[in-house]
Amino acid sequence: YEIITLYSQYIPQISYASTAPELSDNTRYDFFSRVVPPDSYQAQAMLDIVTAMGWNYVSTLASEGNYGESGVEAFVQISREMGGVCIAQSLKIPREPRPGEFDKIIRRLLETPNARAIIMFANEDDIRRVLDAAKRSNQTGHFLWVGSDSWGSKISPVIQQERVAEGAITILPKRATVEAFDRYFRSRSLSNNRRNVWFAEFWEENFGCKLGMHGKRPGSLKKCTGLEKVGRDSSYEQEGKVQFVMDAVYAMAHALHRMHRDYCFGYPGLCPRMSNINGKELLGYIRGVNFNGSASTPVVFNQNGDAPGRYDIFQYQITNKSTAEYKVIGQWANKLHLNVDAMRWRTGNPTLPASVCSVPCQMGERKKIVKGVPCCWHCERCEGYHFQVSEFSCELCLYEQRPDRNRTGCIPIPIIKLEWHSAWAAVPMFVAVLGILATSFVVVTFVRYNDTPIVRASGREMSYVLLTGIFLCYAITFLMIATPCLAVCSFRRVFLGLGMCFSYAALLTKTNRIHRIFEQGKKSVAAPRFISPASQLVITFSLISVQLLGVFMWFAVDPPHTVVDYGEQRTSDPEKARGVLKCDISDLSLICSLGYSILLMVTCTVYAIKTRGVPETFNEAKPIGFTMYTTCIIWLAFIPIFFGTAQSAERMYIQTTTLTISLSLSASVSLGMLYMPKVYVIILHPEQNVPKRKRSFKAIVTAATMSGKLVQTGSDRPNGEVKTELCESMETNTSSTKTTYVSYSNHAI
């Protein structure tokens, strides 16, 4: 290399073995040409091999010196330019390694165990010692060696280290054995090859003998006869560079021949024009040669004086017969042609080993690159509602979508509704059906016995209004469970609070009537106004009309429609996410719709408390009171359950079930306490369903007055005395009042 550096600036040269990449620099070595490809081509071929193997994380190992360091530098530079391959470590073997140096190199390489592929630009001796150190470290089969042409297909580096070298991929410039040279060299002897001054020394070395007393081989007892034959009395293998030596000589000969033809056409021998030629002129002829060389391959030079890169790819394999050999597995000529199926690893195993820093991420995972090492990354799963957009990023799905199973795209979130067959719907429907049957039975009974004293005393008109409200409270269950649509949503708005409004408007009118009668009776014997059945109906429907007016205003301000609520069941696990098909009735709208009915219920409860002292033989104030107390407890339990589950994934089911059950229980309480006792008497004890003795309004007032007094003094007397006094007072007033009677039945009040 130093000689080339010194003389290539003056005299054109053609090299048969120099492969240093620096020699391709035409600005420094413009007179230099070579018939072997530079190591930059070799580095490119090795990089193509690594890429074809899928190895993206490798280490390099070079012998100190121009060949090793330049080869590794070319490999690193090309891999950096092309990308896709990262260098884990770049180690150098010193020219004069100290003891243990190669063991240290193996330990260093094991610091990056994922970088199993080792790119080697090293001389034979260093290769052998590296393999020996790997063998001592019990790393047989771990490293994936990729050797340059200094390894090639040589036997010496792998002798007695076949197992640790198994699977090694090596590269060698494409060459062929020149049979004419073999015939020539085997015919050489001491007698016909006297012009080669080193031939005698070769003869002694090759045959292990000594030529006379002046032989160069000291200590040899055997004397050369001169009759030995190359290839017969000694092993012989053609040196791999013979082809390139011949091509270099022929390239110079072709250049001189063409020059002579141009400068000395028809002139035998050297003409005066060629006696003093310029080096640049000869260089031009050298760079212009183009002929088939000794291996029948074209000999040409590019503008930098380099020969085209043509390489054979070998793999060191151990066959089933436990014999090791180099097997050609591909070629490289500006492009890699590799027979992967012919490759073998670890004694016949065809499985391709890996040399990667990080395994490929699975579907739905993005790469988070390690800073400074693009071949190393961490795989992060696209969490939540994110999906994988590219190799390195995740994005959030649209609100109404969720990631698919592989998280490589988005799919619509399934839409659900409360199904008729679900347990959340079955229980409310069962209760509602029982309630509707019971209500229907009461209505049929009252209609059939419409003129009996108990039915008449109950206030028939108000009873039917109340039973209508009870029926609607049961029936709303089916609207709440039905599939939301425009009609269903409209009916929900109308009937959601209407049943309660019917019920509590009727009860409020009754309790208010009772309260007004007894309050009026304390002041005067004259009956209060608006206590007739017609008046009661007008008051009741006036109260109901307020609810209907609010609903119609709601229709005008916000027409009903269906919505799909994706937030209600938007769980942390997208697989469980569901869109809920529902009517556009928010919790606030629901409370507003029921708010007026709840107000009627509370007001009715207040009047029930005020009329709690009225004697039970005169009216049904006490059953109404018990009904309202129980109903208030039901709705007080409903509120925390309904709003406490607002953030639950089962919100739709819990709230719908809670609401419908609360409505059904409210209706059941009214039906059970106000009507079942009457139905019991009508059906099972008809003897009690007879007219009662009429009492005067004055008697009623007197009873109410005495009742009030006894309430005030009841704490000082036993219960029996209070009851006795009340009865005696009532009997006295009844017997003394013989004149005008007002026809008031005790229940009609």
Side-chain angles (χ1 to χ4, degrees), residues 681-720:
V681 172
I682 293 172
I683 302 299
L684 300 179
H685 295 283
E687 71 278 2
Q688 297 181 12
N689 190 9
V690 296
K692 298 290 184 178
R693 179 168 55 88
K694 295 181 180 180
R695 293 193 176 125
S696 66
F697 183 74
K698 182 177 180 180
I700 295 172
V701 171
T702 302
T705 304
M706 292 302 298
S707 173
K709 292 180 179 180
L710 290 174
V711 169
Q712 295 176 358
T713 60
S715 59
D716 300 330
R717 302 183 184 185
N719 292 336

Side-chain angles (χ1 to χ4, degrees), residues 89 105-113 137 139 142-143:
Q89 296 189 72
I105 289 173
I106 295 299
R107 288 195 299 270
R108 288 279 306 277
L109 292 174
L110 289 174
E111 291 176 1
T112 51
S137 300
Q139 296 302 319
H142 174 75
F143 294 111

Side-chain angles (χ1 to χ4, degrees), residues 21 42 63 188 199 217 242 288 293 351 363 366 392 408 410 453 455 478 489 496 514 518 520 579 602 630 642 731:
Q42 184 174 197
S63 293
R188 296 299 89 193
F199 194 74
R217 187 177 177 84
V242 169
T351 304
M363 288 187 295
R366 73 178 184 93
F392 302 99
T408 55
C410 295
V455 176
F478 300 95
C489 293
L496 182 60
I514 295 170
F518 282 93
Q520 180 68 22
V602 173
T630 306
F642 186 87
E731 291 173 358

Side-chain angles (χ1 to χ4, degrees), residues 378-449:
H378 302 295
C379 294
E380 292 186 347
R381 185 166 176 80
C382 298
E383 296 293 344
Y385 289 82
H386 291 78
F387 71 101
Q388 184 181 7
V389 180
S390 65
E391 189 178 8
F392 302 99
S393 63
C394 299
E395 284 187 5
L396 186 65
C397 289
L398 297 177
Y399 190 70
E400 67 275 7
Q401 294 181 334
R402 68 179 183 183
D404 57 21
R405 186 173 298 274
N406 295 327
R407 291 186 175 271
T408 55
C410 295
I411 58 175
I413 294 177
I415 298 175
I416 61 169
K417 60 181 181 61
L418 186 57
E419 300 292 343
W420 295 99
H421 58 269
S422 69
W424 296 100
V427 174
M429 284 194 299
F430 178 74
V431 175
V433 169
L434 292 180
I436 289 174
L437 293 176
T439 305
S440 301
F441 179 74
V442 171
V443 171
V444 171
T445 302
F446 267 51
V447 170
R448 182 177 180 183
Y449 299 96

Side-chain angles (χ1 to χ4, degrees), residues 46 50 58-62 72 75 117-121 144 146-147:
M46 296 171 76
V50 168
V58 302
S59 294
T60 63
L61 185 60
V72 165
F75 180 87
I118 311 298
I119 310 301
M120 296 184 68
F121 280 86
L144 307 171
V146 181

Side-chain angles (χ1 to χ4, degrees), residues 61 93 100-110 116 118 120 125-145 151 157 160-166 168 346:
L61 185 60
I93 302 172
E101 186 70 35
F102 290 92
D103 294 323
K104 180 180 177 182
I105 289 173
I106 295 299
R107 288 195 299 270
R108 288 279 306 277
L109 292 174
L110 289 174
R116 296 177 60 190
I118 311 298
M120 296 184 68
D125 189 51
D126 287 344
I127 293 171
R128 182 180 54 78
R129 289 190 284 182
V130 167
L131 294 177
D132 187 50
K135 182 179 179 180
R136 287 196 304 272
S137 300
N138 196 27
Q139 296 302 319
T140 299
H142 174 75
F143 294 111
L144 307 171
W145 311 107
W151 185 336
Q160 297 181 351
Q161 296 173 148
E162 291 82 2
R163 291 293 176 184
V164 74
E166 183 181 10
R346 294 299 302 274

Side-chain angles (χ1 to χ4, degrees), residues 463-521:
S463 292
Y464 291 131
V465 173
L466 180 55
L467 287 171
T468 300
I470 292 173
F471 178 85
L472 291 176
C473 286
Y474 287 124
I476 190 64
T477 296
F478 300 95
L479 281 176
M480 298 302 294
I481 296 174
T483 301
C485 63
L486 181 60
V488 170
C489 293
S490 300
F491 283 125
R492 281 188 188 180
R493 288 192 181 188
V494 174
F495 292 104
L496 182 60
L498 192 60
M500 291 179 61
C501 188
F502 264 80
S503 300
Y504 300 128
L507 289 176
L508 175 59
T509 303
K510 292 183 92 174
T511 54
N512 175 265
R513 178 173 177 267
I514 295 170
H515 178 264
R516 287 190 295 112
I517 288 175
F518 282 93
E519 288 298 317
Q520 180 68 22

Side-chain angles (χ1 to χ4, degrees), residues 607-684:
Y607 277 110
I609 294 173
K610 288 184 176 182
T611 58
R612 68 185 184 278
V614 176
E616 61 183 8
T617 55
F618 284 92
N619 54 74
E620 47 186 3
K622 285 183 173 58
I624 292 176
F626 292 144
T627 299
M628 300 316 301
Y629 305 151
T630 306
T631 304
C632 287
I633 292 173
I634 291 172
W635 286 97
L636 285 175
F638 161 78
I639 292 175
I641 295 175
F642 186 87
F643 290 100
T645 58
Q647 303 301 323
S648 172
E650 305 291 332
R651 171 186 174 185
M652 174 185 67
Y653 306 109
I654 297 175
Q655 291 188 342
T656 302
T657 302
T658 302
L659 177 60
T660 53
I661 289 292
S662 297
L663 288 169
S664 296
L665 288 178
S666 300
S668 299
V669 168
S670 300
L671 188 67
M673 290 190 174
L674 298 179
Y675 291 101
M676 287 306 170
K678 296 180 177 62
V679 173
Y680 174 78
V681 172
I682 293 172
I683 302 299
L684 300 179

